[in-house]
Amino acid sequence: MEDLDVRSALSSYVTEDEPPIGLSGAAVLAAGRRSRRRRLVAATGGAVVVLVAAVTLAVSGPGPQAPPPASGTACATKSADTRTRLACVIGDAVRSRLSPSARIERLTIPGETAPADPFLPAVTGESMYQLGVRVTDQHGAGAVYVQLIAVDGLSVPRCTEVSPPNPDGCGVSQLSQGALQTITYRRGGLITYEARLSAPGWLAVVTTNNSGVLRHGLADAVAVQSPLPPLTAEQAADVVLTRGLIP
């Protein structure tokens, strides 16, 4: 970049075809020193502006952001207890796909006390873990259910054998984790998305619908409380494929 002070000093002594008569080396050096001082001041001022901007952003910038969801590995380090680990895995997987303002409550049967962590699964022996949560956001209320069922061997899902029969959409994909089956039901205004992962020894099922009323089965008639389920069909599939979900 050109030194403007030195250039100005030279220009003062030069016309179109004349040499710089009367211009001393000391004058050129003095001009250079002035230019360097000005650049230093400008650079210092710019650094102060950047520092002030950074401090201002830190003080008045965006509020706290939700932490990224923990992986199955991170959840596994929190506790060796299977239920506690599953609560961490499922909770992170579901929460990361909901609005930060969504309210999450455990769905319980009459007389049951909700656990402090709504994602802590109930367990039946060593063969089944299950839970249901109500999700309420600006659109209304819906639900998310998760089931983990121990099975013998590896079952092969078929769309012709789903229950209830005659879904509005069904597909099966063979993945490295196992066979993924995705199902859509539409019964009146009730919309249900279900994702089932058939893995060696386990069947994992994630179901979501647009009613915050507890269901005991897909055939149950419940009140529609939101235009759509809190999770999309793709998100339900993502949750069932979450690393660490299978016990």
Side-chain angles (χ1 to χ4, degrees), residues 7-232:
R7 187 179 180 188
S8 177
L10 290 170
S11 299
S12 299
Y13 289 88
V14 179
T15 57
E16 189 174 70
D17 297 312
E18 294 175 346
I21 299 172
L23 179 61
S24 66
V28 173
L29 290 176
R33 284 193 291 270
R34 287 195 301 273
S35 177
R36 283 195 298 274
R37 282 197 298 271
R38 270 197 289 271
R39 285 200 300 270
L40 179 59
V41 171
T44 304
V48 171
V49 170
V50 171
L51 179 59
V52 170
V55 172
T56 302
L57 181 60
V59 173
S60 61
Q65 300 298 307
S71 66
T73 302
C75 287
T77 64
K78 294 185 177 183
S79 173
D81 177 68
T82 300
R83 293 178 68 205
T84 303
R85 183 187 64 79
L86 286 175
C88 176
V89 172
I90 297 168
D92 285 345
V94 174
R95 283 191 177 98
S96 66
R97 292 169 172 84
L98 300 176
S99 166
S101 61
R103 186 171 74 253
I104 300 172
E105 305 166 275
R106 181 62 167 258
L107 285 168
T108 60
I109 61 175
E112 181 185 6
T113 301
D117 185 343
F119 290 101
L120 185 69
V123 59
T124 303
E126 296 181 354
S127 61
M128 180 183 293
Y129 299 87
Q130 58 185 343
L131 65 96
V133 294
R134 178 188 296 107
V135 178
T136 306
D137 58 19
Q138 67 273 24
H139 303 295
V144 177
Y145 300 91
V146 178
Q147 284 184 309
L148 301 170
I149 307 166
V151 296
D152 293 329
L154 177 62
S155 61
V156 179
R158 294 181 175 86
C159 288
T160 55
E161 298 175 354
V162 298
S163 179
N166 304 316
D168 291 84
C170 181
V172 178
S173 303
Q174 294 295 330
L175 307 175
S176 59
Q177 300 96 318
L180 173 65
Q181 184 178 43
T182 54
I183 308 169
T184 298
Y185 292 97
R186 298 179 187 274
R187 300 293 184 266
L190 184 67
I191 302 172
T192 303
Y193 301 131
E194 187 165 290
R196 303 177 181 178
L197 176 64
S198 297
W202 288 92
L203 172 64
V205 184
V206 173
T207 306
T208 182
N209 65 29
N210 55 337
S211 174
V213 179
L214 179 66
R215 301 184 74 187
H216 298 283
L218 287 175
D220 290 351
V222 293
V224 173
Q225 298 177 321
S226 182
L228 292 170
L231 299 179
T232 65

